[in-house]
Amino acid sequence: MTGLSFANRHIGPDAAAQRRMLEAIGYGSVEELMDAAIPESIRSQDSLDLPPPASEAVATAELRALAGQNTVAVSMIGLGFYGTHTPAVIRRNVLENPSWYTAYTPYQPEISQGRLEALLNFQTMVADLTGLATANASLLDEASGAAEAMALARRASKSASSVYVVDADVLPQTLAVLRTRAEPLGIELRVVDFAAADPVSELPAELFGAHLQFPGASGVVSERPSVVEAVHARGGLVTVAADLLALVLLRPPGEWGADIAVGTTQRFGVPMGFGGPHAGYVAVRSGLERMLPGRLVGVSRDAAGAPAYRLALQTREQHIRREKATSNICTAQVLLAVMAGMYAVYHGPEELREIAQRVHGQAGRLAAGLREAGVAIAHEAFFDTVVAVVPGRAAQVVAEAAQRGVNLRLVDADRVGVACDETTTEEHLELVWAAFGAAAPAGAAVVGLPAQSLRESSYLTHEVFHAYRSETSMLRYLKRLADADYALDRGMIPLGSCTMKLNATTQLEPISWPEFADLHPYAPVAQVAGYHELVSQLSRWLAEVTGYDAVSVQPNAGSQGELAGLLAIRAYLRDQGQQQRDVCLIPASAHGTNAASAVLAGMRVVVVACDSEGNIDLVDLDRQLAAHGDRLAAIMVTYPSTHGVYETGIAELCARVHDAGGQVYVDGANLNALVGYAKPGRFGADVSHLNLHKTFCIPHGGGGPGVGPVAVRAHLADYLPADPLQAAGAPVGAVAAAGYGSAGILPISWAYLRMMGSEGLRSATAAAVLATNYVAARLGDYFPVLYTGNKGLVAHECILDLRPLTKASGVTVEDVAKRLIDYGFHAPTMSFPVAGTLMVEPTESEDLAELDRFCDAMIAIRAEIDEVARGGWPGDDNPLRQAPHTAAAVSVDEWSHAYPRSVAAYPTGVPRLGKYWPPVRRIDGAYGDRNLACSCPAPEAFMT
């Protein structure tokens, strides 16, 4: 280990580079720059109260000590979380591979074909196993997926009823989240016992949908076709929460009438991680695909007519439809979906069947041994979970098993749940039998799968699920897909509003340790002391950094953090006797997630205008405050603004909203420009969500995982999300399936904060602001910077205005974005928050050489635009309009374009060594939406 601090490893520009950058923008020091950029009214003068920065070795040792406080027991608790064997080839080459984990959401599909193909595998897997037409590219977890399905059912149902029926045998965490999500939307949940003798008679006369669990939380297997038929007869839609491994052996929900299926893919090779992250899923019957929440990968074609993948039907999503979106989901769980899909690719249908049969066989042997010992089994039909009836002895049995290193589920005083999984061994069964006072059975295993429920239909028939059975072939497949994509391991990803900074290896290594990866979220408290201490420390540090009083890490995405914060405001106002307050003010510049989250929290969205400088129009704010009076609940503002500016009026805005009786929500998406210099909780905000996958270094994973902790002032602390298993009677229920959400990746942010310390964090913020102002200064003469703040400065991102150039030349922002691929870059954010612009965020992690490489590329592209404008190249045949150029496109025998082949292949300044070649040409998005195809195409489609 060298003497360099971690902060010096994390921050790209060294002292000499920063001096050159400061000279370029006319400042003598970083502090002088920050003094000029950030309004004095919000500046924090004190250092952050954090431990001194630790070296990488010390931080790793401290994490080892925390991990050592956790006990990795044999988990047989079940309830949607299971032991699984992650194939080493997938763990090393996906989970631990920066080509996968440092990529961004595939909005630029030409440089995302690898992970788009991987997600299409995932979608095909889910659709096949559920027997439904279309699956999306992942949801956050099963519980929130169930809530999304409930909302989908309400949109699609022809019933005017507000009643949604839920199976009494639902997973408890799912019921908790459904209750949280239903109440603000005016949905009445009714829990019904479908195990009753006449389940149809239990249904209300009117409803818009029903949620069934298959198999049930109790382990029972029952298709309930009469319930499905009765729900349909009432105009409702049926959602089935299904275990995908069970569906390998059991008839899929789509074959017995389900409209929607949801669930988790965790047991397909993704560690439990004390609750997450895992890829949830949703699949729908034909006709509902345009109402799906979340991302959806589809097959389209490129400019050469070749098949190509892209995100389909994006007009459903929150960043376009805002409060009218199908969901507030932005980040999903792409990295985990890739792992789960590759688990199916590697094992194929035959091995998946063997795994499922082995799991059921172990459960059957367990049941046989218990029966021979006189222990009653609650259900004759089961897949992997056996509920044993031991009147008055349940707690004793669970304790006996725990002493033997096995965790069972205490159902109630008389019943114990035991779940088998892929990792269950004969030795584990012997320990369980001993806890019950039983032994291995002398007779045959119990067969718990009803003959009439056995699956006969085929699944995973596509060639991809049969072609990569050897580790060699699988390794090469994963490598081929990774090579098709552009991630941070190739170069800068200057996406505005995304903060694509370094995800340091030291931070990521611990997430694979068994003491963090292999813990069940409902394990006994005594076994997870290390996790509790880690979360406690991380929460304290986040509260200190933001100026708030309390933090919950439960929200497993920024969108869920937004929802949790708004629910806290809503509950607080109701307790204050101000339930009429339901208006949420949102600036016109805001991210669409804000508006979608407000609607889910039961609020009405009212837009506040921005002025010509891009700032929130305080005159219009006053107008809206007067118009809505005592109906005002909150305002949601992003700071610095989505326009990349430190607005000087933020403290005044907070004061005016408070005077009007409202609460202030400051979106933490841009916290990377504040840490160490200003604290939202001290300049007037009441609540924020934080994006650990932005400011605090959790990688984006190609579109997830993310973590969105919610931080609040003291008066809102009692309204943070409740633990899903202890949510009854809480002011605000659960928003995720596990109490700590995606706990398995929290060590990443813990390590970042621990190694950076107060001064390191402050230096990172300053370096991010310096980098952006340097880029703005270098490019300002070529592409005007649309909005600036004090003294013409920007914050951590800036908007380049291409609209005048487009008007003069016909070259569009998309043309520039695609041409940047030829120069070896991922494009900045296109047309957000202003159409026809590029929003650039270089972050603190890029060194001066990379910043200059980007600026040089943009300047060269400006010269190309000028060539088009003066008529040197035709408007429809120039290197920008034809970009990106594939190796195949520039190696044809006859070159017919108006510009040289060399300009297409190797633009100015692009070295021949190590050039990135996109695998496809520009993709026709409209064609893909008109001809929707969301599962793996036949291999013949790629033959030319």
Side-chain angles (χ1 to χ4, degrees):
M1 183 70 68
T2 70
L4 276 179
S5 69
F6 175 78
N8 287 331
R9 300 289 191 189
H10 174 82
I11 297 170
D14 60 17
Q18 290 192 22
R19 285 193 296 271
R20 292 198 296 274
M21 295 162 69
L22 287 164
E23 183 179 347
I25 62 176
Y27 284 86
S29 70
V30 168
E31 285 307 310
E32 182 186 347
L33 168 66
M34 298 303 283
D35 286 342
I38 301 179
E40 178 64 27
S41 61
I42 69 168
R43 284 287 297 269
S44 297
Q45 302 304 323
D46 300 329
S47 296
L48 296 173
D49 184 13
L50 298 174
S55 68
E56 294 179 59
V58 169
T60 299
E62 291 182 4
L63 276 172
R64 280 286 185 193
L66 288 171
Q69 296 179 42
N70 296 328
T71 299
V72 183
V74 176
S75 179
M76 302 185 77
I77 297 170
L79 287 182
F81 300 93
Y82 301 93
T84 182
H85 293 303
T86 306
V89 67
I90 295 174
R91 183 180 64 250
R92 177 57 60 89
N93 296 287
V94 177
L95 178 64
E96 299 173 351
N97 184 347
S99 295
W100 290 96
Y101 66 71
T102 68
Y104 190 65
T105 304
Y107 288 132
Q108 294 291 335
E110 294 84 359
I111 56 176
S112 309
Q113 291 295 291
R115 62 189 178 281
L116 286 168
E117 179 172 328
L119 289 173
L120 204 67
N121 294 344
F122 174 87
Q123 291 179 183
T124 303
M125 172 191 80
V126 171
D128 278 9
L129 290 175
T130 59
L132 290 164
T134 305
N136 86 340
S138 76
L139 290 176
L140 298 172
D141 58 24
E142 178 170 333
S144 60
E148 297 289 348
M150 176 177 66
L152 193 164
R154 196 178 200 189
R155 290 192 300 272
S157 173
K158 297 178 181 179
S159 171
S161 173
S162 62
V163 174
Y164 192 66
V165 171
V166 181
D167 189 347
D169 204 18
V170 69
L171 296 178
Q173 66 270 27
T174 297
L175 180 59
V177 173
L178 283 172
R179 283 178 167 148
T180 302
R181 296 284 291 271
E183 190 273 331
L185 299 177
I187 293 172
E188 179 187 348
L189 283 190
R190 294 193 190 175
V191 178
V192 171
D193 183 6
F194 290 128
D198 183 11
V200 173
S201 67
E202 302 292 318
L203 290 173
E206 295 183 347
L207 49 76
F208 71 84
H211 178 101
L212 309 180
Q213 191 79 39
F214 184 76
S218 66
V220 69
V221 171
S222 180
E223 293 180 358
R224 312 205 188 285
S226 63
V227 172
V228 173
E229 183 179 349
V231 172
H232 286 161
R234 289 161 170 78
L237 275 67
V238 174
T239 295
V240 175
D243 183 322
L244 288 186
L245 190 62
L247 297 186
V248 171
L249 302 179
L250 297 170
R251 280 211 314 155
E255 292 183 12
W256 40 279
D259 304 286
I260 308 165
V262 297
T264 176
T265 58
Q266 178 268 315
R267 68 191 311 174
F268 277 39
V270 181
M272 289 183 286
F274 199 45
H278 313 129
Y281 75 81
V282 61
V284 295
R285 62 166 166 80
S286 181
L288 296 177
E289 57 276 347
R290 293 178 187 272
M291 298 184 187
L292 269 171
R295 313 295 190 203
L296 180 65
V297 176
V299 182
S300 188
R301 64 186 182 188
D302 73 357
Y309 309 117
R310 63 179 287 275
L311 293 178
L313 302 180
Q314 291 188 65
T315 53
R316 302 167 298 117
E317 295 184 24
Q318 38 66 36
H319 62 286
I320 294 175
R321 296 203 73 202
R322 298 171 68 87
E323 70 270 19
K324 297 180 180 178
T326 58
S327 170
N328 73 331
I329 290 176
C330 182
T331 297
Q333 303 285 21
V334 166
L335 186 66
L336 299 316
V338 170
M339 290 179 66
M342 289 304 173
Y343 180 92
V345 168
Y346 195 46
H347 285 300
E350 297 85 3
E351 287 186 12
L352 283 183
R353 187 172 184 84
E354 289 177 7
I355 292 169
Q357 288 174 332
R358 186 166 65 250
V359 168
H360 178 64
Q362 296 282 45
R365 277 185 53 72
L366 172 67
L370 294 176
R371 278 186 173 173
E372 289 186 11
V375 177
I377 303 302
H379 306 292
E380 294 292 328
F382 57 85
F383 167 60
D384 62 2
T385 299
V386 173
V387 172
V389 181
V390 285
R393 290 200 307 123
Q396 177 187 343
V397 170
V398 170
E400 289 280 350
Q403 289 181 0
R404 291 170 168 79
V406 180
N407 291 333
L408 307 181
R409 177 165 65 99
L410 181 66
V411 178
D412 55 33
D414 302 319
R415 294 178 298 167
V416 176
V418 188
C420 297
D421 59 42
E422 181 186 8
T423 68
T424 303
T425 66
E426 183 71 12
E427 180 184 359
H428 299 157
L429 296 183
E430 290 172 355
L431 294 171
V432 174
W433 286 320
F436 279 94
V446 173
V447 177
L449 301 179
Q452 69 274 17
S453 296
L454 293 178
R455 181 170 194 146
E456 297 180 358
S457 57
S458 58
Y459 53 91
L460 305 186
T461 58
H462 190 274
E463 182 179 341
V464 74
F465 299 107
H466 299 265
Y468 306 109
R469 297 301 174 73
S470 74
E471 183 166 334
T472 300
S473 61
M474 186 66 180
L475 176 69
R476 290 170 181 167
Y477 179 55
L478 293 172
K479 174 65 172 172
R480 176 172 68 79
L481 295 186
D483 283 350
D485 286 8
Y486 191 104
L488 280 175
D489 61 339
R490 288 190 186 274
M492 179 168 70
I493 302 180
L495 282 160
S497 193
C498 300
T499 316
M500 299 295 291
K501 60 165 63 175
L502 170 70
N503 313 123
T505 307
T506 295
Q507 297 161 10
L508 272 80
E509 282 182 326
I511 71 171
S512 296
W513 298 348
E515 296 88 348
F516 288 136
D518 294 341
L519 297 183
H520 193 287
Y522 312 145
V525 172
Q527 295 180 9
V528 291
Y531 252 124
H532 286 296
E533 180 60 22
L534 183 147
V535 170
S536 176
Q537 292 177 3
L538 177 60
S539 298
R540 288 199 304 272
W541 297 344
L542 293 175
E544 170 61 20
V545 163
T546 57
Y548 288 107
D549 300 302
V551 172
S552 168
V553 299
Q554 186 180 125
N556 49 12
S559 58
Q560 305 310 292
E562 289 182 15
L563 177 60
L566 291 170
L567 290 174
I569 290 173
R570 183 174 184 269
Y572 167 76
L573 291 173
R574 291 197 162 200
D575 276 0
Q576 297 300 307
Q578 300 183 58
Q579 58 269 16
Q580 82 283 357
R581 292 188 178 272
D582 64 350
V583 169
C584 185
L585 301 180
I586 296 181
S589 61
H591 195 286
T593 307
N594 291 169
S597 296
V599 170
L600 290 180
M603 296 183 182
R604 294 186 295 122
V605 173
V606 173
V607 176
V608 179
C610 292
D611 62 24
S612 60
E613 302 290 319
N615 301 317
I616 296 173
D617 188 336
L618 295 181
V619 174
D620 189 54
L621 173 66
D622 286 340
R623 187 180 303 119
Q624 300 299 347
L625 294 176
H628 298 287
D630 68 353
R631 302 301 301 268
L632 174 69
I635 187 169
M636 296 186 80
V637 295
T638 302
Y639 198 83
S641 75
T642 311
H643 289 149
V645 175
Y646 291 105
E647 296 188 36
T648 57
I650 183 64
E652 177 63 22
L653 178 149
C654 294
R656 293 185 191 183
V657 172
H658 285 149
D659 288 345
Q663 298 284 293
V664 177
Y665 187 114
V666 170
D667 186 319
N670 293 342
L671 194 66
N672 209 50
L674 294 178
V675 174
Y677 284 90
K679 299 180 178 183
R682 292 294 177 262
F683 63 65
D686 300 289
V687 56
S688 293
H689 83 273
L690 320 175
N691 290 323
L692 298 192
H693 49 289
K694 292 184 180 183
T695 308
F696 301 100
C697 292
I698 288 176
H700 283 72
V707 178
V710 58
V712 297
R713 295 295 302 275
H715 66 284
L716 295 178
D718 290 341
Y719 304 95
L720 289 172
D723 185 285
L725 298 191
Q726 301 170 7
V732 174
V735 297
Y740 289 152
S742 292
I745 53 177
L746 294 180
I748 299 170
S749 296
W750 184 98
Y752 175 69
L753 288 162
R754 185 67 186 89
M755 293 188 294
M756 290 293 281
S758 175
E759 286 307 308
L761 292 171
R762 184 180 172 92
S763 297
T765 300
V769 174
L770 173 60
T772 307
N773 280 281
Y774 176 76
V775 169
R778 278 210 61 191
L779 296 183
D781 291 340
Y782 305 91
F783 304 93
V785 177
L786 184 56
Y787 298 119
T788 59
N790 188 41
K791 297 185 178 180
L793 295 170
V794 294
H796 67 308
E797 60 192 10
C798 63
I799 297 176
L800 304 179
D801 191 359
L802 274 67
R803 293 172 299 180
L805 289 173
T806 298
K807 186 175 182 179
S809 67
V811 175
T812 67
V813 66
E814 183 179 21
D815 294 334
V816 173
K818 304 309 180 187
R819 183 59 171 157
L820 274 167
I821 298 172
D822 292 333
Y823 280 85
F825 281 100
H826 191 299
T829 301
M830 279 178 21
S831 292
F832 175 82
V834 179
T837 66
L838 290 173
M839 184 159 60
V840 183
E841 182 184 358
T843 84
E844 71 272 18
S845 296
E846 300 299 339
D847 62 22
L848 181 56
E850 187 72 352
L851 296 175
D852 280 336
R853 188 172 77 89
F854 173 73
C855 291
D856 291 344
M858 289 295 292
I859 292 168
I861 285 173
R862 171 59 196 266
E864 294 177 349
I865 295 173
D866 290 344
E867 183 69 11
V868 175
R870 72 172 186 81
W873 290 326
D876 61 350
D877 188 25
N878 59 71
L880 296 115
R881 184 57 51 87
Q882 296 299 320
H885 297 84
T886 63
V890 300
S891 59
V892 293
D893 292 336
E894 295 194 14
W895 185 257
S896 58
H897 293 291
Y899 52 97
R901 191 193 305 258
S902 59
V903 169
Y906 296 103
T908 302
V910 175
R912 280 167 163 72
L913 182 64
K915 174 181 164 61
Y916 170 74
W917 293 97
V920 296
R921 295 184 63 190
R922 193 177 306 191
I923 295 173
D924 184 344
Y927 175 87
D929 283 353
R930 290 194 304 270
N931 303 274
L932 191 64
C934 300
S935 58
C936 295
E940 292 76 20
F942 295 89
M943 297 176 65
T944 58

